[in-house]
Amino acid sequence: MKLGVFQGTFNPIHNAHLRVADYVVNKYNFDKFLFIPAYNPPHKTCNTDLSYHRLNMVKLAIKNNPKFEVSDIEFQRKGKSYTYLTICELYKKYKIDGKIYFIIGTDAFQHIQSWYESDKLKEIVKFIVFIREDNFDSSKYNYLRNLGYDFEFQTLPYKDISSTELRDKIKLNENIDKYVTEEVKDYIYKNELYKN
């Protein structure tokens, strides 16, 4: 099985996440593509009460796309959501051909060496790294390739938005229709998320 994984906080999940996923599923022809919301991301301060809302929003956002699945693997484990442990569990659960493909943005990838068990993680995943900045210089990542990280770059074929920007828009009562699915928008308003 060829498996693609999109792990993240998804706080909240937005249309750029969905477009990235759709793009890689079509480009790499994955047999299975998993969204894995982090229960308690180690590199971010996160209210775990909000974690279940984030999981629910991912479920709502992907429900109409048969190519996508959501996994609550990190919710079952509780504790800190370390990517290495999650990937190891996926290898036990599925019969994987080659390596698991791991979707990540350059903003996170540039800190990859600080991740838990990064030296072991680099042996078992291939990173698909999406460029999230202007004036991108791929040569500044050469040292990671020399250290044995397996990765390739992809450009975003549309305008990106960060979840932080989206939360700011919600706080300011700005219209978010073009950034999230209708179901996610309704869920955010119904549960009064990101108001503070």
Side-chain angles (χ1 to χ4, degrees):
M1 173 193 290
K2 189 174 183 181
L3 177 63
V5 167
F6 198 173
Q7 179 207 37
T9 315
F10 301 118
N11 191 27
I13 188 166
H14 50 69
N15 292 339
H17 292 131
L18 300 175
R19 290 186 192 120
V20 161
D22 207 46
Y23 177 81
V24 294
V25 165
N26 290 324
K27 183 176 175 69
Y28 293 89
N29 202 22
F30 294 121
D31 297 306
K32 186 182 284 288
F33 188 84
L34 295 178
F35 282 81
I36 305 180
Y39 172 71
N40 187 5
H43 287 89
K44 295 180 182 176
T45 305
C46 192
N47 174 358
T48 51
D49 292 343
L50 186 61
S51 298
Y52 288 93
H53 286 305
R54 293 188 289 99
L55 175 64
N56 290 337
M57 286 188 282
V58 173
K59 287 177 179 175
L60 287 170
I62 71 163
K63 71 176 187 177
N64 295 323
N65 192 325
K67 299 176 193 169
F68 300 159
E69 291 180 39
V70 62
S71 169
D72 64 355
I73 191 169
E74 297 189 348
F75 286 73
Q76 293 169 29
R77 195 170 67 234
K78 302 287 175 125
K80 291 284 187 187
S81 298
Y82 292 116
T83 299
Y84 173 70
L85 298 179
T86 300
I87 296 295
C88 287
E89 285 182 51
L90 293 175
Y91 273 105
K92 288 177 193 163
K93 187 172 181 179
Y94 301 111
K95 188 170 170 43
I96 307 294
D97 297 329
K99 291 180 178 178
I100 290 174
Y101 287 72
F102 189 87
I103 314 307
I104 190 170
T106 46
D107 50 336
F109 190 60
Q110 62 189 334
H111 304 294
I112 195 68
Q113 286 181 281
S114 70
W115 287 25
Y116 175 77
E117 297 286 22
S118 184
D119 272 350
K120 293 179 182 174
L121 179 66
K122 74 183 181 186
E123 302 297 331
I124 58 175
V125 299
K126 179 179 179 73
F127 295 97
I128 302 174
V129 186
F130 276 86
I131 299 164
R132 296 194 71 184
E133 67 258 32
D134 298 326
N135 307 313
F136 177 70
D137 178 8
S138 64
S139 66
K140 72 177 187 179
Y141 293 88
N142 286 347
Y143 76 99
L144 288 173
R145 209 177 292 285
N146 294 336
L147 290 171
Y149 288 85
D150 183 7
F151 60 93
E152 60 187 66
F153 293 109
Q154 294 291 341
T155 50
L156 291 164
Y158 47 80
K159 182 154 173 44
D160 192 14
I161 182 172
S162 73
S163 292
T164 306
E165 291 172 290
L166 185 50
R167 291 195 302 273
D168 288 342
K169 288 180 181 298
I170 295 164
K171 209 175 285 185
L172 295 168
N173 285 319
E174 292 182 20
N175 188 306
I176 60 167
D177 286 2
K178 66 180 181 181
Y179 302 109
V180 295
T181 65
E182 187 75 23
E183 293 91 345
V184 169
K185 182 187 80 168
D186 290 345
Y187 187 94
I188 288 169
Y189 290 145
K190 179 182 164 192
N191 292 280
E192 299 187 337
L193 303 179
Y194 311 119
K195 287 294 184 186
N196 306 329

